[in-house]
Amino acid sequence: MHIDLNCDMGESFGVYTLGYDEAAMPYVTSINVACGFHASDPSNMLKTVCLAKKYNLAIGAHPSFPDLVGFGRRAMAASHEEIFADVVYQIGALAGVCQSQGLKLQHVKVHGAMYNQAEKDIAIGAAIAEAIKSVDPALYMVCSSGSPMVTAAKNAGVNYVEEAFADRAYTREGRLAPRSQAGAVIHDVNMVAQRVLALVKTGKVRTIDDTEISLNAETICVHGDTPGAVEMIKKIHSLLEQEGIGLKPFGKR
């Protein structure tokens, strides 16, 4: 049994540092690199890709709505054409950085509000999937487990993997609980690690209202930009290894 741990990285900007990228890298297998629309800049993108090469990590683009001020977390009423163009542009930027270092992209995972809207609206997922396919049909689209994103990827003929989140609570419908809801983000390190282990082994997780649901998780998202994040990632990594669960990028399955 194997699982991929993915983490959002490269979200520093100019002189501002965000996250604990290098400290977390030894404990994950894939990273999602910000492409300049919600965070990062060319120098930080290159720095992050070089660090990923050092730690032999699979690299993915992490495109978003054009929203530096709101960190890509504000919903936008973007058209199909706008989403397509924005995603193509951001994938292309990071693919070029990777090529400069002799590397290739493994996947695309959209960020923030774009992800949240796509897991509810198949039209947004379709624009994302079409953009990915148009740049490189070999790329994987990372989709919220069981959401319309999966259907959009299938319809477009794009490789995809289904994702679950380590430290986020779920509703009984299988969607992420809104961050505004109490308990939506889980901070207890041991609880998070045990939830991930149970999800990987059984395909089930307990919801925010204590209902058990099934989730298909081929990759687990861990967060590396909050206090205690690296400790949490280390705990998850250690517990999975103790239980004999291998860690490797989903592109190498």
Side-chain angles (χ1 to χ4, degrees):
M1 181 180 290
H2 293 87
I3 193 67
D4 174 68
L5 295 181
N6 79 78
C7 189
D8 302 345
M9 292 191 178
E11 293 180 322
S12 297
F13 184 81
V15 299
Y16 301 100
T17 300
L18 179 65
Y20 308 93
D21 289 6
E22 190 164 11
M25 281 187 177
Y27 307 100
V28 300
T29 46
S30 297
I31 63 169
N32 319 304
V33 182
C35 302
F37 272 35
H38 76 280
S40 200
D41 54 45
S43 294
N44 275 299
M45 290 165 69
L46 179 58
K47 177 183 176 181
T48 306
V49 166
C50 289
L51 284 172
K53 184 175 183 178
K54 174 183 174 181
Y55 290 100
N56 195 31
L57 302 177
I59 301 169
H62 198 36
S64 79
F65 289 128
D67 181 24
L68 275 173
V69 173
F71 199 68
R73 288 183 175 159
R74 298 184 293 189
M76 289 191 175
S79 69
H80 183 103
E81 292 76 17
E82 288 169 327
I83 294 169
F84 179 92
D86 285 349
V87 173
V88 165
Y89 181 93
Q90 292 173 84
I91 297 171
L94 188 64
V97 174
C98 287
Q99 186 175 347
S100 78
Q101 301 304 307
L103 303 172
K104 291 193 69 174
L105 288 178
Q106 170 187 255
H107 66 278
V108 177
K109 174 185 169 181
V110 298
H111 167 82
M114 187 180 286
Y115 186 103
N116 293 339
Q117 290 177 231
E119 73 169 348
K120 303 178 183 70
D121 186 342
I122 193 170
I124 294 174
I128 295 164
E130 290 167 21
I132 294 169
K133 186 175 183 179
S134 73
V135 175
D136 183 354
L139 289 170
Y140 285 84
M141 177 174 169
V142 177
C143 303
S144 176
S145 179
S147 76
M149 295 172 79
V150 175
T151 305
K154 288 179 178 178
N155 290 346
V158 172
N159 296 323
Y160 69 92
V161 289
E162 296 185 58
E163 171 184 55
F165 287 73
D167 62 350
R168 292 292 305 278
Y170 281 85
T171 67
R172 63 174 59 198
E173 293 77 28
R175 304 278 69 84
L176 292 173
R179 284 180 177 268
S180 57
Q181 185 174 351
V185 180
I186 305 165
H187 299 285
D188 186 292
V189 171
N190 291 317
M191 180 185 296
V192 170
Q194 289 295 334
R195 280 169 60 89
V196 171
L197 178 63
L199 181 57
V200 173
K201 294 181 79 170
T202 70
K204 298 183 183 298
V205 68
R206 299 208 73 82
T207 66
I208 198 164
D209 62 355
D210 205 31
T211 302
E212 189 174 71
I213 61 169
S214 296
L215 287 178
N216 181 31
E218 299 162 278
T219 180
I220 305 290
C221 179
V222 293
H223 289 118
D225 60 350
T226 55
V230 176
E231 178 189 356
M232 184 176 289
I233 296 169
K234 285 182 179 179
K235 182 67 176 180
I236 294 167
H237 185 280
S238 173
L239 184 60
L240 291 173
E241 284 196 330
Q242 288 173 23
E243 294 292 323
I245 297 168
L247 297 167
K248 67 178 181 180
F250 53 76
K252 296 182 179 179
R253 61 188 177 183

